[in-house]
Amino acid sequence: TLPVWRRPRVAFFSTGNEVRKVGEPLRMGEVYDSNRYTLWGMLQRLGCEILDMGVVRDDPALLEAAFREAAEAADAVITTGGVSVGEADYTKQIMARLGDVVFWTLAMRPGRPMAFGRIASGGKSALVFGLPGNPVAVMVTFYFFVRDALLTLAGHGDNRLPLFKARASVPMKKRPGRTEFLRGILSESHGECSVKLTGAQGSGILSSMSQANCFVVLRHERGNVTAGEIVDVLPMDALV
């Protein structure tokens, strides 16, 4: 007989009137919902039980109903979009109504508008991760926040990923005052590791993740990086 931990149950949904399922025709100002596909893949690789709740429109009543359903069915809830400061961004206020918001907005890029808290409904409660809407920001915040929390719920011990040193083979722009996670390609030659970027680093460019095998972690106080400087890199594990 062995003691075991139950697999975490995770409910997730996208928010936004502009979000459409892949395959549906797009009208002006609408986008396809890539976030649910990447979240599904990352959650599956972590071994979670998954509840895909689809797309919820920017309507406070619909969002509250979705949050209540998720809290009663899952250990953790992940949303994408709706945590910025737009007129139709209701996620944070509904989280506060149903529970509490531990923090909102981070000094990081990508992923600044992220909310974390706990909600309750029907005598049950769940952690809530309100992730940004941009696809790369969703994956980065999942990697550095959600991953560790879900592994802890699953009974894992120390979940921290190791940082390594590598030499930058290209210049990297960086503004002091926030931590930045650039997507890079790490390689080794003659016993020395070097890293270059995947190209444009916009938070909507999914290819910057699909082509990368590591993150270049530029600390809060750091400025621009010149070619030849040593930087911290974090190799990606099997999430992407």
Side-chain angles (χ1 to χ4, degrees):
T1 301
L2 296 174
V4 297
W5 291 72
R6 178 175 58 77
R7 292 194 297 161
R9 298 189 184 101
V10 183
F12 66 101
F13 56 87
S14 301
T15 68
N17 295 337
E18 76 283 6
V19 179
R20 290 289 176 267
K21 295 179 181 178
V22 173
E24 293 181 345
L26 290 182
R27 294 177 294 186
M28 184 69 67
E30 294 180 338
V31 294
Y32 284 126
D33 182 17
S34 64
N35 290 333
R36 279 181 31 248
Y37 292 87
T38 54
L39 281 175
W40 188 91
M42 292 188 292
L43 289 168
Q44 184 186 49
R45 292 194 180 191
L46 283 182
C48 300
E49 294 183 16
I50 305 171
L51 175 60
D52 182 355
M53 298 178 62
V55 179
V56 180
R57 297 181 66 79
D58 288 324
D59 179 292
L62 294 177
L63 283 169
E64 181 169 341
F67 271 118
R68 289 187 178 278
E69 178 184 348
E72 293 172 18
D75 303 301
V77 184
I78 303 173
T79 68
T80 59
V83 291
S84 190
V85 292
E87 292 182 2
D89 291 334
Y90 302 114
T91 297
K92 180 190 170 190
Q93 58 183 271
I94 295 174
M95 285 174 60
R97 184 184 308 158
L98 299 180
D100 64 281
V101 180
V102 177
F103 63 77
W104 176 58
T105 71
L106 302 166
M108 67 178 286
R109 181 184 183 188
R112 181 178 180 273
M114 174 188 167
F116 169 73
R118 182 181 290 274
I119 60 173
S121 180
K124 297 184 178 181
S125 65
L127 300 176
V128 178
F129 299 89
L131 306 186
N134 284 323
V136 176
V138 166
M139 300 179 78
V140 171
T141 50
F142 185 100
Y143 211 93
F144 288 97
F145 293 93
V146 184
R147 173 189 175 275
D148 285 2
L150 295 181
L151 287 174
T152 298
L153 286 177
H156 290 258
D158 189 349
N159 307 313
R160 290 174 295 181
L161 297 169
L163 285 173
F164 297 91
K165 300 292 184 181
R167 193 173 301 278
S169 60
V170 295
M172 302 176 187
K173 292 184 178 180
K174 165 72 165 60
R175 188 178 72 187
R178 64 190 181 195
T179 299
E180 296 196 10
F181 302 92
L182 306 180
R183 281 73 68 200
I185 300 172
L186 181 66
S187 59
E188 185 269 336
S189 178
H190 304 294
E192 181 177 76
C193 291
S194 62
V195 64
K196 63 181 180 179
L197 301 182
T198 56
Q201 296 287 297
S203 59
I205 304 174
L206 270 174
S207 60
S208 72
M209 286 292 296
S210 64
Q211 296 172 8
N213 63 8
C214 72
F215 291 104
V216 180
V217 182
L218 302 181
R219 305 286 186 171
H220 191 80
E221 66 283 351
R222 188 157 194 168
N224 290 335
V225 175
T226 59
E229 285 192 72
I230 300 297
V231 294
D232 289 325
V233 297
L234 191 152
M236 294 178 175
D237 69 9
L239 285 183
V240 292

